[in-house]
Amino acid sequence: MDLQAGWAGTWQDFFQTTKASFVQSLVTFYNNLEWTQELDPTQRFAWEIEYDLMLATLRYAIAETKTAPEKCWIAFEQELIGEGGKRAADINLVTPAGELFVIEFKHKTEASEHEILRANSDLQTMLRYHSESIHLVGYGFLVLTKPDAKTFQHPHVVCEIAVNGLAPKLACQIITSLNKPDSYDALCWEKGEFYRQPSILHGTAQVFFDAKIPTLKTSASENIEEARKALLELYQYAKQKQQRYIVVVHGRPGAGKTLLGVSAVAEISRSDSAKKSEPILLSGNAPLVQVLQHTLDYYGKCKSAHDAKKVIDGRIMIQDLHIFKKQIKGALTSRKETFVVFDEAQRAWDKASPRDSQSLSELMLFCNWLSSQPFGVLVLLVGDGQAIHRNEMQLEQMLTDLDHSVRAQNGNIIAIMPSLHAKKMRLIKPIERDVFNLKTPIRQSYTECLDKWIEAVLSNNSVLASDVALNIQSDYPLRVTQSKGLAECYTSELQNTLHEGNRKPDAFRSGWLMSSRGGKFIEEVQKDKFKPGKHIGPWYVEPPKSKNSCCQFNTACTEFSCQGLELSLALFNWGQDLLYRDEQLIFAKEKSYRRQYDHYTEGSYRVLLSRGRSGLVIKCDDNETFTYLKSCGMKEL
C-alpha cells in the first residue's frame, strides 16, 4: 500500500485521541519524510488549531445525524506518492455516502491565488490518481482560521471561514453527506494506491532502477498498458515465427508515447527469453537522448549498492538515431537489434543523406535494414503538427513515404497500424490495430482543453481561446506578463506553495523556453554543449538549487531542446518571429526571424506552448501581441 499519512483512522479513533498524541504523531511523520525541511513552530500550532476545529466540527455533524463515527474515515497530512516532495491537503475525509472531502487549513485572513490553486490541485489529484477516490464525489475546502478573514470565489474550492471554533459550511456539507444512504465502505479508502503517471524523466528512472513500470488506472493508462502488452506479444510472435513487423503507434502530445517505448524496451531487456534481443530506443531528438541518459547517470549514482542488481544500463538502450543510421548506411547487417523503437518518427528525414539528391529516405533505409534481419519489430512512435526543422517530414508525408518503403520490401515486412493511418495506405494493406492509437492524454485531465486553447490561439480565434481558457484556468494557470521578474516571482511562489524540498526525481521543475528565431533573450542551454554547467541534461534533471538547474532561470531551452520533454510550469518568452498585427498572427518579415517554411514557426510555437504539465506563464514584450494573448483568456500578472 502506497498510502502514508501523519495520522489516519476512523472518526471514533480521532475522538479518542488526545491533542498531544495527535500532534506528536504528525511531528514524527513529518520528520521522517526525506524531502521535508526543519519543522517550523508555526506548523505545530497549525496542527493544534486543525485538531480543535475538526474535533468540534465532526462531533457536531455526528450529533446532528446520529451516524456511527466508526463508519467514517479521516487522514491528516497524507503524502502524495509520485508528486516529488508534496503532501496532500491537510485533511482527507471520507463518508459512507461515497464522498471525499479534501480540506486545506490556513491560519490567515486571506488566501493567495497559489494556495487556492494548491487546494484545488489536491482535490483533483485525489479524484484522478488515487484508486479508491476515482469513483467518489469530491468536495474541496480551504479553511481560513483567523477572525475577519476575507472570502474568495472558486468553481471547485469552497471558501470556509472558522466561526466560534467551528467550520460551518464544512459541517453543513458533511451533515448532508451523512444523511445520504450508505454506498461505500469508507474504511477501504486507506487501502487505495496512487497511479499518478510520472514525467518522462521520473518514469525512466523507475523503469530502469526500480524495475517498476509506471501505471495509472484510468482509460489513458489502460490504453498504454494494452499497447505495451500488444508490442511484447508481437515481439515474441515475431521471434517464434521469424517474421518482421513495422508498427505505427500514434499519440497526441502528452499521450505517453516515449514512456511506452522506454518501458517496452526495458521490459524486453529483462525477459529471460529475450536476453539477446538488444532492444533499443532511438530518437533523432538529441536533447531528449542526452536528458534521458543524464537521468540514468544522475539517479544511478544515487542508488545504494543493494539495488545494483536491479539496474539496467539504460544508456546503451537509449541512443541517438543518427549514430544508428550512419552504421546501417554503411552496412545493413552492422546492427543486430531485433526490437527497435523509433521515437518521434514523424520527424524522419525525407533523405537519409540530405546532401545527396538520390539518397533514400530514412524510413526506406530503416525498412531495408529490417528486411535484412532474420526477424524483428520496428516501432514508429508518431504524432502530428510539430515539425520544426528542415528535412523533417510532416505526418502525412511520412505516411506516404512509409507506404512506399514497406511496399518496396515485396512482402518481407508486415505493417501494423491504427485504422486512422491504415486507411491512408495506397500500396500496402496493413493490419489494423487501434490499440496502437493513444488517444487520451495521461498528463492531466485538462490537457485536451490546453491543446484546443493552443490551436485557437495559433488560429487567431481569441473568442474560442478565451472560452477554453475559462474551463482550465482553475486547474491550469495561464498567465501573461511583460516582466521577466514578475514571471519568475510568480513561479517561485507557486513552487513553494505546491512543493516542499523539491528533491525527488519527479520534483517541480520550472524554467524558461524561447523560440530559436524569436530574437535575443537569455543564453540558450544548448548553444555550446561542451560549456561547463550548460548541458541540457543537468538543466532538466538536477535539483532546483543546483546552479545548472532550469529552476535557476539563467538559461533557456528552444523548441529543439524541449520537444518531447516537459516542465511542471513552463515560462515562455514570446519571440519576434510571430506577432499579432491587423487582427491576426503574422510571421516576421525580417530574415533573421524567418524559418525555411512558415509551418516550422507554427510547429515551434505549438511545441513551446505545450511543455508545461501544470501551467504556462508567457512573457511578451510586444504590446499588440500581449493584448491579443490577454484576449485569449490569459490573466495578466
Side-chain angles (χ1 to χ4, degrees), residues 72-114:
C72 307
W73 190 262
I74 187 169
F76 291 81
E77 299 293 338
Q78 177 194 303
E79 185 182 14
L80 289 180
I81 307 301
E83 289 292 308
K86 180 178 183 291
R87 294 191 308 280
D90 296 318
I91 297 169
N92 287 280
L93 183 153
V94 190
T95 70
E99 296 185 338
L100 169 70
F101 293 76
V102 178
I103 309 162
E104 182 73 35
F105 280 82
K106 291 297 174 186
H107 191 54
K108 302 173 66 175
T109 58
E110 186 174 0
S112 71
E113 175 191 341
H114 303 305

mmCIF file of all heavy atoms in Angstrom, residues 72-114:
data_model
loop_
_atom_site.group_PDB
_atom_site.id
_atom_site.type_symbol
_atom_site.label_atom_id
_atom_site.label_comp_id
_atom_site.label_asym_id
_atom_site.label_seq_id
_atom_site.Cartn_x
_atom_site.Cartn_y
_atom_site.Cartn_z
ATOM 1 N N CYS A 72 -16.805 6.172 9.426
ATOM 2 C CA CYS A 72 -16.233 7.278 8.646
ATOM 3 C C CYS A 72 -14.724 7.313 8.827
ATOM 4 O O CYS A 72 -14.196 6.909 9.866
ATOM 5 C CB CYS A 72 -16.840 8.606 9.086
ATOM 6 S SG CYS A 72 -18.645 8.638 9.066
ATOM 7 N N TRP A 73 -14.025 7.839 7.825
ATOM 8 C CA TRP A 73 -12.557 7.819 7.830
ATOM 9 C C TRP A 73 -12.010 9.246 7.719
ATOM 10 O O TRP A 73 -12.612 10.109 7.078
ATOM 11 C CB TRP A 73 -12.044 6.988 6.657
ATOM 12 C CG TRP A 73 -10.564 6.715 6.730
ATOM 13 C CD1 TRP A 73 -9.563 7.377 6.092
ATOM 14 C CD2 TRP A 73 -9.937 5.699 7.515
ATOM 15 N NE1 TRP A 73 -8.337 6.843 6.426
ATOM 16 C CE2 TRP A 73 -8.541 5.812 7.305
ATOM 17 C CE3 TRP A 73 -10.410 4.717 8.376
ATOM 18 C CZ2 TRP A 73 -7.619 4.963 7.914
ATOM 19 C CZ3 TRP A 73 -9.495 3.864 8.993
ATOM 20 C CH2 TRP A 73 -8.120 3.995 8.762
ATOM 21 N N ILE A 74 -10.837 9.446 8.328
ATOM 22 C CA ILE A 74 -10.163 10.741 8.221
ATOM 23 C C ILE A 74 -8.655 10.529 8.222
ATOM 24 O O ILE A 74 -8.140 9.671 8.952
ATOM 25 C CB ILE A 74 -10.589 11.695 9.368
ATOM 26 C CG1 ILE A 74 -10.015 13.099 9.130
ATOM 27 C CG2 ILE A 74 -10.187 11.145 10.731
ATOM 28 C CD1 ILE A 74 -10.594 14.159 10.059
ATOM 29 N N ALA A 75 -7.953 11.251 7.364
ATOM 30 C CA ALA A 75 -6.489 11.156 7.276
ATOM 31 C C ALA A 75 -5.898 12.562 7.260
ATOM 32 O O ALA A 75 -6.381 13.431 6.535
ATOM 33 C CB ALA A 75 -6.072 10.389 6.021
ATOM 34 N N PHE A 76 -4.865 12.771 8.057
ATOM 35 C CA PHE A 76 -4.179 14.058 8.138
ATOM 36 C C PHE A 76 -2.788 13.961 7.507
ATOM 37 O O PHE A 76 -2.064 12.989 7.728
ATOM 38 C CB PHE A 76 -4.014 14.489 9.605
ATOM 39 C CG PHE A 76 -5.291 14.856 10.304
ATOM 40 C CD1 PHE A 76 -6.123 13.874 10.818
ATOM 41 C CD2 PHE A 76 -5.653 16.188 10.455
ATOM 42 C CE1 PHE A 76 -7.302 14.205 11.474
ATOM 43 C CE2 PHE A 76 -6.824 16.530 11.116
ATOM 44 C CZ PHE A 76 -7.649 15.537 11.621
ATOM 45 N N GLU A 77 -2.427 14.967 6.743
ATOM 46 C CA GLU A 77 -1.069 15.106 6.187
ATOM 47 C C GLU A 77 -0.640 13.880 5.383
ATOM 48 O O GLU A 77 0.444 13.340 5.553
ATOM 49 C CB GLU A 77 -0.051 15.378 7.302
ATOM 50 C CG GLU A 77 -0.307 16.635 8.076
ATOM 51 C CD GLU A 77 -0.117 17.901 7.253
ATOM 52 O OE1 GLU A 77 0.595 17.853 6.237
ATOM 53 O OE2 GLU A 77 -0.673 18.944 7.639
ATOM 54 N N GLN A 78 -1.499 13.447 4.517
ATOM 55 C CA GLN A 78 -1.160 12.304 3.681
ATOM 56 C C GLN A 78 -0.145 12.702 2.616
ATOM 57 O O GLN A 78 -0.251 13.765 2.012
ATOM 58 C CB GLN A 78 -2.415 11.783 3.004
ATOM 59 C CG GLN A 78 -2.171 10.638 2.056
ATOM 60 C CD GLN A 78 -3.379 10.407 1.199
ATOM 61 O OE1 GLN A 78 -4.461 10.177 1.705
ATOM 62 N NE2 GLN A 78 -3.206 10.495 -0.095
ATOM 63 N N GLU A 79 0.850 11.848 2.383
ATOM 64 C CA GLU A 79 1.839 12.123 1.349
ATOM 65 C C GLU A 79 1.286 11.708 -0.004
ATOM 66 O O GLU A 79 0.679 10.646 -0.143
ATOM 67 C CB GLU A 79 3.143 11.368 1.616
ATOM 68 C CG GLU A 79 4.241 11.732 0.624
ATOM 69 C CD GLU A 79 5.531 10.965 0.848
ATOM 70 O OE1 GLU A 79 5.504 9.972 1.595
ATOM 71 O OE2 GLU A 79 6.543 11.346 0.275
ATOM 72 N N LEU A 80 1.510 12.541 -1.007
ATOM 73 C CA LEU A 80 1.107 12.201 -2.372
ATOM 74 C C LEU A 80 2.266 11.484 -3.047
ATOM 75 O O LEU A 80 3.289 12.090 -3.349
ATOM 76 C CB LEU A 80 0.740 13.463 -3.159
ATOM 77 C CG LEU A 80 -0.560 14.160 -2.752
ATOM 78 C CD1 LEU A 80 -0.769 15.393 -3.617
ATOM 79 C CD2 LEU A 80 -1.737 13.220 -2.894
ATOM 80 N N ILE A 81 2.105 10.200 -3.293
ATOM 81 C CA ILE A 81 3.153 9.418 -3.942
ATOM 82 C C ILE A 81 3.278 9.860 -5.399
ATOM 83 O O ILE A 81 2.291 10.007 -6.106
ATOM 84 C CB ILE A 81 2.829 7.916 -3.886
ATOM 85 C CG1 ILE A 81 2.548 7.492 -2.430
ATOM 86 C CG2 ILE A 81 3.956 7.093 -4.490
ATOM 87 C CD1 ILE A 81 3.684 7.746 -1.482
ATOM 88 N N GLY A 82 4.517 10.082 -5.832
ATOM 89 C CA GLY A 82 4.728 10.480 -7.217
ATOM 90 C C GLY A 82 4.574 11.963 -7.452
ATOM 91 O O GLY A 82 4.435 12.417 -8.567
ATOM 92 N N GLU A 83 4.621 12.766 -6.383
ATOM 93 C CA GLU A 83 4.466 14.211 -6.528
ATOM 94 C C GLU A 83 5.752 14.968 -6.209
ATOM 95 O O GLU A 83 5.753 16.184 -6.083
ATOM 96 C CB GLU A 83 3.336 14.716 -5.637
ATOM 97 C CG GLU A 83 1.965 14.306 -6.126
ATOM 98 C CD GLU A 83 1.598 14.985 -7.428
ATOM 99 O OE1 GLU A 83 1.685 16.209 -7.530
ATOM 100 O OE2 GLU A 83 1.246 14.271 -8.369
ATOM 101 N N GLY A 84 6.841 14.249 -6.016
ATOM 102 C CA GLY A 84 8.137 14.899 -5.896
ATOM 103 C C GLY A 84 8.329 15.746 -4.661
ATOM 104 O O GLY A 84 8.971 16.780 -4.702
ATOM 105 N N GLY A 85 7.831 15.325 -3.520
ATOM 106 C CA GLY A 85 8.011 16.106 -2.313
ATOM 107 C C GLY A 85 6.804 16.973 -2.070
ATOM 108 O O GLY A 85 6.848 18.185 -2.197
ATOM 109 N N LYS A 86 5.707 16.369 -1.695
ATOM 110 C CA LYS A 86 4.477 17.142 -1.524
ATOM 111 C C LYS A 86 3.493 16.319 -0.701
ATOM 112 O O LYS A 86 3.364 15.121 -0.901
ATOM 113 C CB LYS A 86 3.868 17.465 -2.886
ATOM 114 C CG LYS A 86 2.572 18.261 -2.850
ATOM 115 C CD LYS A 86 2.126 18.533 -4.275
ATOM 116 C CE LYS A 86 0.875 19.390 -4.310
ATOM 117 N NZ LYS A 86 -0.296 18.686 -3.826
ATOM 118 N N ARG A 87 2.842 16.960 0.253
ATOM 119 C CA ARG A 87 1.757 16.300 0.958
ATOM 120 C C ARG A 87 0.437 16.726 0.333
ATOM 121 O O ARG A 87 0.330 17.792 -0.250
ATOM 122 C CB ARG A 87 1.771 16.664 2.439
ATOM 123 C CG ARG A 87 2.990 16.139 3.179
ATOM 124 C CD ARG A 87 2.823 16.289 4.684
ATOM 125 N NE ARG A 87 2.469 17.649 5.074
ATOM 126 C CZ ARG A 87 3.331 18.659 5.177
ATOM 127 N NH1 ARG A 87 4.609 18.450 4.867
ATOM 128 N NH2 ARG A 87 2.939 19.847 5.577
ATOM 129 N N ALA A 88 -0.570 15.880 0.535
ATOM 130 C CA ALA A 88 -1.900 16.261 0.087
ATOM 131 C C ALA A 88 -2.415 17.365 0.999
ATOM 132 O O ALA A 88 -1.711 17.842 1.886
ATOM 133 C CB ALA A 88 -2.827 15.053 0.133
ATOM 134 N N ALA A 89 -3.650 17.762 0.801
ATOM 135 C CA ALA A 89 -4.253 18.753 1.682
ATOM 136 C C ALA A 89 -4.161 18.269 3.126
ATOM 137 O O ALA A 89 -3.944 17.090 3.395
ATOM 138 C CB ALA A 89 -5.705 18.981 1.286
ATOM 139 N N ASP A 90 -4.359 19.184 4.055
ATOM 140 C CA ASP A 90 -4.208 18.841 5.462
ATOM 141 C C ASP A 90 -5.066 17.649 5.851
ATOM 142 O O ASP A 90 -4.671 16.822 6.667
ATOM 143 C CB ASP A 90 -4.571 20.052 6.325
ATOM 144 C CG ASP A 90 -3.615 21.215 6.106
ATOM 145 O OD1 ASP A 90 -2.407 20.968 6.019
ATOM 146 O OD2 ASP A 90 -4.085 22.362 6.017
ATOM 147 N N ILE A 91 -6.274 17.560 5.278
ATOM 148 C CA ILE A 91 -7.205 16.505 5.679
ATOM 149 C C ILE A 91 -7.891 15.894 4.465
ATOM 150 O O ILE A 91 -8.317 16.601 3.556
ATOM 151 C CB ILE A 91 -8.280 17.069 6.633
ATOM 152 C CG1 ILE A 91 -7.631 17.577 7.933
ATOM 153 C CG2 ILE A 91 -9.347 16.025 6.949
ATOM 154 C CD1 ILE A 91 -8.576 18.364 8.802
ATOM 155 N N ASN A 92 -7.994 14.564 4.455
ATOM 156 C CA ASN A 92 -8.854 13.826 3.535
ATOM 157 C C ASN A 92 -9.882 13.108 4.385
ATOM 158 O O ASN A 92 -9.528 12.303 5.262
ATOM 159 C CB ASN A 92 -8.052 12.825 2.706
ATOM 160 C CG ASN A 92 -7.208 13.504 1.658
ATOM 161 O OD1 ASN A 92 -7.696 13.873 0.605
ATOM 162 N ND2 ASN A 92 -5.926 13.677 1.958
ATOM 163 N N LEU A 93 -11.136 13.395 4.147
ATOM 164 C CA LEU A 93 -12.226 12.873 4.970
ATOM 165 C C LEU A 93 -13.199 12.126 4.070
ATOM 166 O O LEU A 93 -13.606 12.639 3.029
ATOM 167 C CB LEU A 93 -12.895 14.056 5.676
ATOM 168 C CG LEU A 93 -14.029 13.835 6.658
ATOM 169 C CD1 LEU A 93 -14.035 14.984 7.667
ATOM 170 C CD2 LEU A 93 -15.373 13.799 5.935
ATOM 171 N N VAL A 94 -13.580 10.897 4.469
ATOM 172 C CA VAL A 94 -14.424 10.046 3.635
ATOM 173 C C VAL A 94 -15.668 9.624 4.408
ATOM 174 O O VAL A 94 -15.584 9.206 5.573
ATOM 175 C CB VAL A 94 -13.666 8.791 3.161
ATOM 176 C CG1 VAL A 94 -14.467 8.044 2.110
ATOM 177 C CG2 VAL A 94 -12.296 9.151 2.617
ATOM 178 N N THR A 95 -16.820 9.723 3.750
ATOM 179 C CA THR A 95 -18.095 9.340 4.379
ATOM 180 C C THR A 95 -18.664 8.080 3.733
ATOM 181 O O THR A 95 -18.305 7.732 2.604
ATOM 182 C CB THR A 95 -19.128 10.473 4.241
ATOM 183 O OG1 THR A 95 -19.521 10.585 2.859
ATOM 184 C CG2 THR A 95 -18.573 11.798 4.731
ATOM 185 N N PRO A 96 -19.591 7.405 4.423
ATOM 186 C CA PRO A 96 -20.211 6.185 3.864
ATOM 187 C C PRO A 96 -21.048 6.450 2.622
ATOM 188 O O PRO A 96 -21.416 5.497 1.926
ATOM 189 C CB PRO A 96 -21.079 5.678 5.025
ATOM 190 C CG PRO A 96 -20.483 6.278 6.256
ATOM 191 C CD PRO A 96 -19.976 7.616 5.835
ATOM 192 N N ALA A 97 -21.346 7.716 2.331
ATOM 193 C CA ALA A 97 -22.109 8.025 1.112
ATOM 194 C C ALA A 97 -21.221 8.009 -0.128
ATOM 195 O O ALA A 97 -21.697 8.270 -1.238
ATOM 196 C CB ALA A 97 -22.778 9.393 1.250
ATOM 197 N N GLY A 98 -19.935 7.688 0.060
ATOM 198 C CA GLY A 98 -19.017 7.679 -1.085
ATOM 199 C C GLY A 98 -18.604 9.078 -1.478
ATOM 200 O O GLY A 98 -18.471 9.378 -2.670
ATOM 201 N N GLU A 99 -18.365 9.947 -0.494
ATOM 202 C CA GLU A 99 -17.968 11.335 -0.749
ATOM 203 C C GLU A 99 -16.658 11.636 -0.034
ATOM 204 O O GLU A 99 -16.432 11.210 1.109
ATOM 205 C CB GLU A 99 -19.067 12.298 -0.315
ATOM 206 C CG GLU A 99 -20.332 12.099 -1.134
ATOM 207 C CD GLU A 99 -21.420 13.105 -0.836
ATOM 208 O OE1 GLU A 99 -21.419 13.706 0.258
ATOM 209 O OE2 GLU A 99 -22.292 13.294 -1.716
ATOM 210 N N LEU A 100 -15.801 12.342 -0.747
ATOM 211 C CA LEU A 100 -14.467 12.688 -0.264
ATOM 212 C C LEU A 100 -14.385 14.192 -0.043
ATOM 213 O O LEU A 100 -14.717 14.981 -0.929
ATOM 214 C CB LEU A 100 -13.407 12.253 -1.294
ATOM 215 C CG LEU A 100 -11.976 12.772 -1.068
ATOM 216 C CD1 LEU A 100 -11.365 12.099 0.164
ATOM 217 C CD2 LEU A 100 -11.120 12.497 -2.302
ATOM 218 N N PHE A 101 -13.948 14.572 1.145
ATOM 219 C CA PHE A 101 -13.731 15.984 1.470
ATOM 220 C C PHE A 101 -12.232 16.224 1.588
ATOM 221 O O PHE A 101 -11.567 15.607 2.428
ATOM 222 C CB PHE A 101 -14.427 16.343 2.785
ATOM 223 C CG PHE A 101 -15.925 16.291 2.729
ATOM 224 C CD1 PHE A 101 -16.597 15.069 2.736
ATOM 225 C CD2 PHE A 101 -16.665 17.456 2.651
ATOM 226 C CE1 PHE A 101 -17.977 15.015 2.679
ATOM 227 C CE2 PHE A 101 -18.060 17.410 2.590
ATOM 228 C CZ PHE A 101 -18.715 16.189 2.605
ATOM 229 N N VAL A 102 -11.715 17.073 0.717
ATOM 230 C CA VAL A 102 -10.296 17.423 0.743
ATOM 231 C C VAL A 102 -10.201 18.824 1.330
ATOM 232 O O VAL A 102 -10.714 19.787 0.752
ATOM 233 C CB VAL A 102 -9.688 17.360 -0.674
ATOM 234 C CG1 VAL A 102 -8.228 17.782 -0.652
ATOM 235 C CG2 VAL A 102 -9.811 15.944 -1.240
ATOM 236 N N ILE A 103 -9.551 18.942 2.476
ATOM 237 C CA ILE A 103 -9.620 20.169 3.271
ATOM 238 C C ILE A 103 -8.222 20.712 3.542
ATOM 239 O O ILE A 103 -7.349 19.984 4.028
ATOM 240 C CB ILE A 103 -10.342 19.906 4.612
ATOM 241 C CG1 ILE A 103 -11.686 19.192 4.370
ATOM 242 C CG2 ILE A 103 -10.544 21.204 5.382
ATOM 243 C CD1 ILE A 103 -12.249 18.520 5.595
ATOM 244 N N GLU A 104 -8.034 21.966 3.230
ATOM 245 C CA GLU A 104 -6.773 22.667 3.497
ATOM 246 C C GLU A 104 -7.038 23.772 4.513
ATOM 247 O O GLU A 104 -8.047 24.487 4.423
ATOM 248 C CB GLU A 104 -6.218 23.269 2.204
ATOM 249 C CG GLU A 104 -4.885 23.970 2.355
ATOM 250 C CD GLU A 104 -3.724 23.012 2.562
ATOM 251 O OE1 GLU A 104 -3.746 21.915 1.969
ATOM 252 O OE2 GLU A 104 -2.810 23.368 3.334
ATOM 253 N N PHE A 105 -6.159 23.911 5.490
ATOM 254 C CA PHE A 105 -6.269 24.955 6.510
ATOM 255 C C PHE A 105 -5.196 26.019 6.303
ATOM 256 O O PHE A 105 -4.048 25.697 5.974
ATOM 257 C CB PHE A 105 -6.094 24.362 7.910
ATOM 258 C CG PHE A 105 -7.323 23.695 8.449
ATOM 259 C CD1 PHE A 105 -7.644 22.395 8.078
ATOM 260 C CD2 PHE A 105 -8.164 24.346 9.326
ATOM 261 C CE1 PHE A 105 -8.766 21.771 8.574
ATOM 262 C CE2 PHE A 105 -9.296 23.734 9.841
ATOM 263 C CZ PHE A 105 -9.605 22.442 9.460
ATOM 264 N N LYS A 106 -5.570 27.260 6.508
ATOM 265 C CA LYS A 106 -4.611 28.362 6.509
ATOM 266 C C LYS A 106 -4.954 29.291 7.673
ATOM 267 O O LYS A 106 -6.070 29.800 7.766
ATOM 268 C CB LYS A 106 -4.657 29.141 5.181
ATOM 269 C CG LYS A 106 -4.124 28.371 3.986
ATOM 270 C CD LYS A 106 -2.659 28.033 4.153
ATOM 271 C CE LYS A 106 -2.164 27.133 3.021
ATOM 272 N NZ LYS A 106 -0.772 26.674 3.251
ATOM 273 N N HIS A 107 -3.976 29.473 8.577
ATOM 274 C CA HIS A 107 -4.197 30.384 9.706
ATOM 275 C C HIS A 107 -3.889 31.799 9.229
ATOM 276 O O HIS A 107 -2.887 32.414 9.588
ATOM 277 C CB HIS A 107 -3.302 29.983 10.882
ATOM 278 C CG HIS A 107 -3.646 30.684 12.163
ATOM 279 N ND1 HIS A 107 -4.919 30.680 12.695
ATOM 280 C CD2 HIS A 107 -2.882 31.422 13.011
ATOM 281 C CE1 HIS A 107 -4.925 31.384 13.807
ATOM 282 N NE2 HIS A 107 -3.707 31.848 14.025
ATOM 283 N N LYS A 108 -4.802 32.296 8.374
ATOM 284 C CA LYS A 108 -4.618 33.583 7.713
ATOM 285 C C LYS A 108 -5.978 34.268 7.572
ATOM 286 O O LYS A 108 -7.021 33.648 7.777
ATOM 287 C CB LYS A 108 -3.993 33.391 6.322
ATOM 288 C CG LYS A 108 -2.655 32.666 6.320
ATOM 289 C CD LYS A 108 -2.183 32.361 4.915
ATOM 290 C CE LYS A 108 -1.861 33.615 4.135
ATOM 291 N NZ LYS A 108 -1.293 33.302 2.803
ATOM 292 N N THR A 109 -5.924 35.522 7.170
ATOM 293 C CA THR A 109 -7.168 36.249 6.900
ATOM 294 C C THR A 109 -7.494 36.271 5.422
ATOM 295 O O THR A 109 -8.603 36.656 5.025
ATOM 296 C CB THR A 109 -7.073 37.704 7.406
ATOM 297 O OG1 THR A 109 -5.957 38.346 6.767
ATOM 298 C CG2 THR A 109 -6.901 37.750 8.921
ATOM 299 N N GLU A 110 -6.538 35.855 4.576
ATOM 300 C CA GLU A 110 -6.778 35.885 3.139
ATOM 301 C C GLU A 110 -5.941 34.805 2.462
ATOM 302 O O GLU A 110 -4.761 34.628 2.764
ATOM 303 C CB GLU A 110 -6.411 37.260 2.570
ATOM 304 C CG GLU A 110 -6.762 37.436 1.104
ATOM 305 C CD GLU A 110 -6.523 38.857 0.620
ATOM 306 O OE1 GLU A 110 -6.085 39.701 1.428
ATOM 307 O OE2 GLU A 110 -6.789 39.119 -0.567
ATOM 308 N N ALA A 111 -6.567 34.086 1.538
ATOM 309 C CA ALA A 111 -5.869 33.023 0.807
ATOM 310 C C ALA A 111 -5.262 33.583 -0.471
ATOM 311 O O ALA A 111 -5.891 34.368 -1.178
ATOM 312 C CB ALA A 111 -6.827 31.892 0.466
ATOM 313 N N SER A 112 -4.040 33.183 -0.763
ATOM 314 C CA SER A 112 -3.395 33.616 -2.002
ATOM 315 C C SER A 112 -3.880 32.784 -3.171
ATOM 316 O O SER A 112 -4.464 31.704 -2.986
ATOM 317 C CB SER A 112 -1.875 33.474 -1.883
ATOM 318 O OG SER A 112 -1.500 32.103 -1.890
ATOM 319 N N GLU A 113 -3.648 33.289 -4.366
ATOM 320 C CA GLU A 113 -4.009 32.536 -5.571
ATOM 321 C C GLU A 113 -3.341 31.171 -5.578
ATOM 322 O O GLU A 113 -3.944 30.162 -5.955
ATOM 323 C CB GLU A 113 -3.584 33.326 -6.810
ATOM 324 C CG GLU A 113 -3.792 32.579 -8.119
ATOM 325 C CD GLU A 113 -3.116 33.259 -9.301
ATOM 326 O OE1 GLU A 113 -2.804 34.461 -9.186
ATOM 327 O OE2 GLU A 113 -2.902 32.577 -10.319
ATOM 328 N N HIS A 114 -2.073 31.115 -5.140
ATOM 329 C CA HIS A 114 -1.330 29.859 -5.140
ATOM 330 C C HIS A 114 -1.935 28.865 -4.156
ATOM 331 O O HIS A 114 -1.991 27.662 -4.433
ATOM 332 C CB HIS A 114 0.135 30.120 -4.775
ATOM 333 C CG HIS A 114 0.812 31.105 -5.670
ATOM 334 N ND1 HIS A 114 0.853 30.970 -7.030
ATOM 335 C CD2 HIS A 114 1.469 32.261 -5.391
ATOM 336 C CE1 HIS A 114 1.510 31.991 -7.561
ATOM 337 N NE2 HIS A 114 1.885 32.786 -6.588
#
